Amino acid sequence: MQFAKRLQPLQSNVFADMDRAKAVALAAGQQVIDLSLGSSDLPAETHVIEAIAQSLHDRSTHGYLLFNGTFGFRQAAANWYEQKFGIKVDPQTEVLPLIGSQEGTAHLPLALLNPGDFALLVDPGYPSHAGGVYLASGQIYPMPLKAENGFLPVFAEIPAPVLAQSRMMVLSYPHNPTAAIAPISFFQEAVAFCQQHNLALVHDFPYVDLVFEETGNWADSSPNPKSKIVRLSVPCASRREAEVQNPKSLVPSILQADPDKSVSIEFFTLSKSYNMGGFRIGYAIGNAQLINALRQVKAAVDFNQYRGILNGAIAALTGPQAGVKSAVATFEGRRNAFISALHRIGWNVPTPKATMYIWAKLPSAWSQNSIEFCTQLVKQTGVAASPGAGFGKSGEGYVRFALVHEPPLLETAVERIAQFLH
């Protein structure tokens, strides 16, 4: 049987590879502490579960759900964005429900790329961003993320011939896996760059709420010394509104740098903020033409989620937000415990400002073999982590730990890591 060539680059996946390594360790009798997958272990809030449960007994929710039937959810998403970022959103033309944000990042390239076109992706980056480009028969130009640049790409380094053949750029801040954050000045630069080169600007935004208070306001100066603020080609009033508003978020939305939604689309998922990863609910928001193009692809692939899940998502977006604050506090406590434990064993890892991850530079003995490090670590100790190389070439020399267990277990994991290293 013959298969399409587009499957060839999809044969290796960091999460699938580690899943096999964990299975081997379990079969050998290891007690596995899984820090490889960023799936929250916290529960969804009670009022969210109740909204879904009540829907189960409503027979009108049991059939197919078409686009017009999702308006209540789209309205809730638009209101959430306006309250959080001060951005006006049309729920009819600028919002699209998704089966998690990964569906959006994987399917949008089908709407934008012809075979051979380039997508500009951050390296390291989330694997589904690359997977969607491969499925669309596109090419990837990796934009390296380096510690000395605050893990932000340098647009001036992209070759002109690549730019001439590029159709989209994908960013994601707060960033997985590096946990870096980006200031509004960087997003302004990205918007101006994409306007200049006629690129769709795609921002994957799952960690908007998993930001720790000491991070400060997103308007702070850029950590990237090569970055510069670029004035936007948008009306002055819009630009002033974007600059002076007092956002409820500690990190910016791409739409605050592109308030006219000239080139930008953003993906949000309820997986992280609301602990609804298994419910697979998210949405796209932004440029109406991009939303419509993604809607056309989606219509060929699926209908929508069960209406009860959307009712739960509406309850999450419009109901009490204490659960979000509690989750952030939980992950901040885990971060502090894990970092302190690493420092005690002599592994001096910087303290991340956001996300549920620790991005750790490997000891010199493993600096060019993160996959072998993670394979041997889980085999010998049962501690599972994600190799940096699995997120892209520039991720080599690093390892990602997901903070998906309580502090005592995280500290046990570090004790095992210490035994492995020594």
Side-chain angles (χ1 to χ4, degrees), residues 231-312:
R231 300 185 68 85
L232 301 178
S233 57
V234 298
C236 292
S238 297
R239 184 166 61 246
R240 284 197 300 270
E241 288 171 4
E243 290 172 351
V244 303
Q245 64 183 301
N246 182 25
K248 294 182 180 180
S249 174
L250 291 174
V251 290
S253 160
I254 198 71
L255 301 183
Q256 288 173 289
D258 187 10
D260 293 340
K261 309 180 191 74
S262 63
V263 293
S264 305
I265 185 171
E266 195 157 66
F267 295 116
F268 176 73
T269 173
L270 281 75
S271 297
K272 312 302 181 183
S273 298
Y274 298 99
N275 305 314
M276 295 180 68
F279 296 94
R280 308 311 303 134
I281 177 66
Y283 56 85
I285 195 162
N287 178 276
Q289 290 178 296
L290 291 173
I291 292 290
N292 186 60
L294 182 57
R295 181 182 169 188
Q296 291 178 55
V297 173
K298 184 177 175 65
V301 176
D302 65 72
F303 289 115
N304 292 283
Q305 294 90 323
Y306 168 55
R307 187 188 296 271
I309 292 177
L310 266 68
N311 289 340

Side-chain angles (χ1 to χ4, degrees), residues 68 88 95 98 120 145 158 162-163 169 173 254 270-271 325 342 354 390:
N68 286 336
K88 291 280 188 181
V95 184
L98 298 172
L120 309 175
L145 305 185
I158 303 171
V162 170
L163 274 176
M169 175 189 290
Y173 291 95
I254 198 71
L270 281 75
S271 297
K325 294 181 180 179
L342 286 177

Side-chain angles (χ1 to χ4, degrees), residues 1 30 47 68 75 82 89 135 145 160 163 181 268 334 345 355 373 405 410 418:
M1 193 175 295
Q30 286 284 5
H47 66 280
N68 286 336
Q75 182 71 68
E82 182 172 353
V89 177
L135 287 175
L145 305 185
L163 274 176
I181 60 173
F268 176 73
R334 293 177 179 183
I345 69 170
T355 77
F373 173 86
H405 295 289
L410 293 174

Side-chain angles (χ1 to χ4, degrees), residues 195-212:
Q195 289 173 337
Q196 178 183 353
H197 297 283
N198 195 26
L199 304 174
L201 179 53
V202 183
H203 188 228
D204 197 9
F205 203 26
Y207 299 99
V208 52
D209 290 308
L210 288 188
V211 183
F212 309 119

Side-chain angles (χ1 to χ4, degrees), residues 29-112:
Q30 286 284 5
Q31 179 192 17
V32 171
I33 302 177
D34 192 355
L35 308 181
S36 66
L37 190 62
S39 178
S40 176
D41 59 314
L42 304 179
E45 289 294 294
T46 301
H47 66 280
V48 173
I49 301 301
E50 289 177 351
I52 297 173
Q54 292 174 8
S55 302
L56 293 171
H57 302 287
D58 180 358
R59 61 185 296 175
S60 70
T61 70
H62 295 180
Y64 291 129
L65 181 61
L66 302 181
F67 179 76
N68 286 336
T70 69
F71 183 79
F73 172 71
R74 288 183 278 121
Q75 182 71 68
N79 290 344
W80 188 86
Y81 251 74
E82 182 172 353
Q83 292 167 10
K84 199 172 190 72
F85 301 111
I87 299 294
K88 291 280 188 181
V89 177
D90 183 348
Q92 190 63 34
T93 62
E94 296 178 340
V95 184
L96 182 69
L98 298 172
I99 305 174
S101 62
Q102 183 166 326
E103 182 207 349
T105 57
H107 282 161
L108 186 61
L110 292 170
L112 290 172

